[in-house]
């Protein structure tokens, strides 16, 4: 308050009046005090919340890909919680580019969001430390923060992939492919780890040619899958590492004669009608849990950063229950 | 500039130095001048663009529903154009609530976006007039603005629905249902108009019980469809008014014995594998066209507000080519 008074060139009592919404301050002085408060970054603690009353509260959500349907229910759940707290939700997408993620997160902070929910593209979030210290409540979702301590709400990617692979093994498969996203992405790495663990549990050998991580662009996935299916000893089953991969695998398998078993990570729309077995995440629960955690912090609850892991669920619909073609 | 100088308590020359990025101004004075410029709202004209150099440019996108996959490619296309112009994209969703749309659009303006792309929930956009006058470039997409003159980029909903209905008529159907979104939504009203026009062109009678507009919630759509299928003279074909309706209709028809023809408005993922005939919109082209128009305005091009209508495309995949069951 002293700094604010000095910066605005007014007395401490005037700042106190503005903070507490008391009369006796001219509009011009009030604006000057508000501007000083904002310049000095006193905007996240309790008195700042009072100061900013009249301005709509807002939270920012940094997504990874606007066009990925997985983020639709997640975003909507965040929005519903924000709305219940009278706050606006502002989104942006990193397009899976760490530089873009940083630019966007800081741009949202500069626009004075009260809190941030981040689906990280990068793996080093030290750039957020000054903002977090300044009071921007921050929760990571879907993937954890890198190199900082922060709340994270995740799906059990490891356990889900392990269960999906075990399901294929239980149906008699041994030559099982794993096609996933870029290995630097936490969920992709965890799902690969789950696949390996299940294979190891079953004493099944993993041929290097059965594992393909990289872009989820259809051409890349199609090429990787075709190579595994056209090999001398073709894979008889596929664990698809995410919904984008699943869609391409389903299309490609539909054009082949030999049946190949498939378990996809993430549920997709109409998968029920197509009989696609999936490991479903609850995208809405991820968003809701992260948002509730964020608002608890905004409400002043002080807790150490924690990691919350939500269970996945295997939904058998036919494609994962096919026996090996040979 | 005079107002800025007076507001900041500095000379005109100082303001000019700040505007033109010349040396000889202390950081504190520079900040004071910048704050005055912002307070006075001098932010959209050419000198403001210079003033704001160093700050990342940004555009806001007001969506209607974060969880609707139709908006994924549209948002991503807007983001790509913004990115090519070095600007950040900030999204928000109205959740189909006109009050929320207004709140969000004005909140984005208050956070000083350079331009706005709006998928409107409401039908009265006079609240945006002061912002547009102040220089916020604004383009409406998917649905036109209400009660103001503004750029709009739309799909040909009327023509698409007319073509889809004509397609069903050409395959021998006469009892054709139209199940659509709320009638106050422009696209829903236009698609209904297209359906009516095609029926009239063919001299086909429309029974009131074949038309159902309202929420796209699955229960509502399922109820409406069941009533039409269980009637004494059941419909033999359905024109689904949007992608949400199509998904529910596909699910419901899959559980019925009698085949019913279906044409859906909007393409949906995996519709190719399910053999669903659709009237496809190019969601990415909608976003791209709107964003390019927005950036032309931000680049200072002065044109009268215009309406751009993009063609739709009927994609026959089986469901729309079924003959009437009776």
């Amino acid at each position: 308050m002293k700094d604010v008074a000095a910066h605005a060139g007014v007395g401490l009592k005037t700042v106190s009046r503005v903070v507490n919404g008391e009369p006796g301050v001219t509009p011009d002085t009030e604006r000057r005090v508000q501007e000083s408060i904002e310049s000095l970054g006193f905007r996240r603690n309790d008195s700042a919340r009072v100061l900013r009353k009249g301005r709509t509260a807002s939270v920012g959500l940094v997504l990874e890909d606007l066009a990925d349907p997985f983020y639709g229910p997640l975003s909507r759940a965040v929005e519903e919680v924000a709305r219940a707290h009278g706050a606006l939700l502002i989104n942006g997408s990193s397009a899976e580019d760490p530089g873009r993620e940083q630019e966007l997160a800081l741009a949202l902070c500069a626009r004075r969001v009260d809190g941030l929910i981040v689906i990280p593209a990068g793996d080093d979030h030290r750039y957020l430390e000054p903002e977090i210290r300044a009071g921007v409540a921050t929760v990571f979702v879907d993937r954890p923060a890198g190199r900082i301590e922060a709340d994270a709400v995740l799906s059990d990617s490891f356990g889900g992939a392990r269960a999906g692979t075990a399901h294929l093994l239980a149906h008699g498969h041994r030559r099982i492919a794993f096609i996933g996203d870029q290995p630097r992405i936490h969920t992709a790495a965890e799902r690969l780890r789950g696949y390996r663990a299940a294979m190891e549990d079953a004493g099944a050998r993993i041929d290097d040619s059965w594992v393909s991580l990289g872009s989820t662009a259809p051409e890349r996935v199609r090429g990787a899958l075709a190579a595994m299916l056209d090999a001398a000893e073709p894979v008889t089953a596929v664990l698809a590492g995410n919904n984008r991969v699943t869609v391409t695998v389903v299309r490609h398998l539909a054009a082949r004669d030999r049946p190949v078993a498939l378990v996809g990570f993430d549920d997709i729309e109409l998968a029920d009608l197509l009989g696609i077995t999936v490991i479903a995440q609850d995208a809405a629960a991820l968003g809701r849990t992260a948002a509730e955690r964020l608002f608890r912090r905004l409400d002043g609850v002080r807790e150490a950063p924690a990691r919350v892991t939500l269970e996945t669920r295997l939904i058998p619909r036919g494609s994962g229950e096919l026996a090996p073609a040979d």
Side-chain angles (χ1 to χ4, degrees), chain A:
Chain A
M1 300 249 299
K2 267 188 207 159
D3 293 340
V4 171
H7 185 271
V10 299
L12 212 57
K13 190 151 193 178
T14 304
V15 177
S16 158
R17 278 189 182 130
V18 173
V19 170
N20 297 309
E22 291 166 9
V25 187
T26 67
D28 193 57
T29 303
E30 187 183 337
R31 190 177 51 226
R32 208 134 43 87
V33 171
Q34 295 280 18
E35 282 170 4
S36 296
I37 287 160
E38 291 179 358
S39 300
L40 295 172
F42 282 178
R43 21 176 235 259
R44 321 287 175 184
N45 56 28
D46 284 347
S47 57
R49 299 198 82 194
V50 175
L51 282 166
R52 286 189 291 84
K53 83 183 165 192
R55 219 194 94 221
T56 310
S58 64
V59 297
L61 171 60
V62 179
L63 291 166
E64 169 257 313
D65 181 353
L66 291 172
D68 186 335
F70 176 69
Y71 297 116
L74 191 157
S75 303
R76 186 150 70 177
V78 171
E79 183 176 58
E80 277 163 12
V81 174
R83 191 171 196 173
H85 285 81
L88 280 174
L89 174 66
I90 300 178
N91 285 330
S93 150
S94 65
E96 201 62 89
D97 171 344
R100 188 89 179 159
E101 172 210 307
Q102 173 167 348
E103 191 184 14
L104 181 61
L106 293 178
L108 289 169
C109 289
R111 282 169 176 74
R112 281 178 287 114
V113 294
D114 301 274
L116 267 188
I117 294 179
V118 181
I119 295 166
D123 51 12
D124 184 351
H125 298 93
R126 287 174 296 176
Y127 72 86
L128 272 174
E129 280 179 335
E131 301 296 330
I132 293 171
R133 266 201 304 276
V136 183
T138 304
V139 176
F140 287 75
V141 66
D142 190 38
R143 309 165 182 179
R147 311 188 68 173
I148 62 168
E149 289 289 307
D151 284 327
V153 179
L154 312 174
S155 281
D156 183 9
S157 283
F158 170 77
R162 186 179 196 161
T165 309
H167 187 75
L168 291 167
L169 287 159
H171 284 84
H173 297 273
R174 282 298 171 276
R175 298 199 303 278
I176 303 174
F178 177 80
I179 306 181
D181 209 334
Q182 324 259 15
R184 66 171 174 75
I185 295 172
H186 179 263
T187 46
E190 282 293 289
R191 290 169 197 175
L192 174 60
R193 207 164 65 80
Y195 160 83
R196 287 192 185 284
M199 294 294 269
E200 202 170 294
D201 291 346
R205 179 181 67 90
I206 300 176
D207 192 285
D208 282 349
S209 70
W210 302 343
V211 173
S212 176
L213 273 71
S215 149
T216 59
E219 317 78 66
R220 206 283 300 177
V221 171
R222 207 155 40 223
L225 178 61
M228 296 179 197
L229 294 176
D230 297 333
E233 286 206 313
V235 298
T236 63
V238 177
L239 184 75
N242 73 17
N243 63 353
R244 302 297 80 205
V245 174
T246 304
V247 165
T248 300
V249 170
V250 167
R251 278 220 173 86
H252 189 85
L253 292 181
R256 295 238 168 194
D257 289 335
R258 189 157 31 101
V260 174
L262 169 68
V263 173
F265 209 109
D266 288 348
D267 205 359
I268 49 179
E269 191 160 78
L270 299 176
D272 51 339
L273 293 184
L274 288 162
I276 307 170
T277 297
V278 298
I279 305 145
Q281 305 184 67
D282 191 339
L286 280 174
R288 196 165 48 242
T289 307
E292 280 164 358
R293 199 154 184 95
L294 187 80
F295 279 97
R296 271 211 307 285
R297 291 209 176 269
L298 288 173
D299 287 341
V301 175
R302 296 282 160 261
E303 307 169 294
R307 184 177 289 197
V308 177
T309 304
L310 305 185
E311 293 298 305
T312 60
R313 192 164 55 97
L314 193 135
I315 309 176
R317 293 190 182 121
S319 75
E321 294 72 45
L322 293 172
D326 51 7

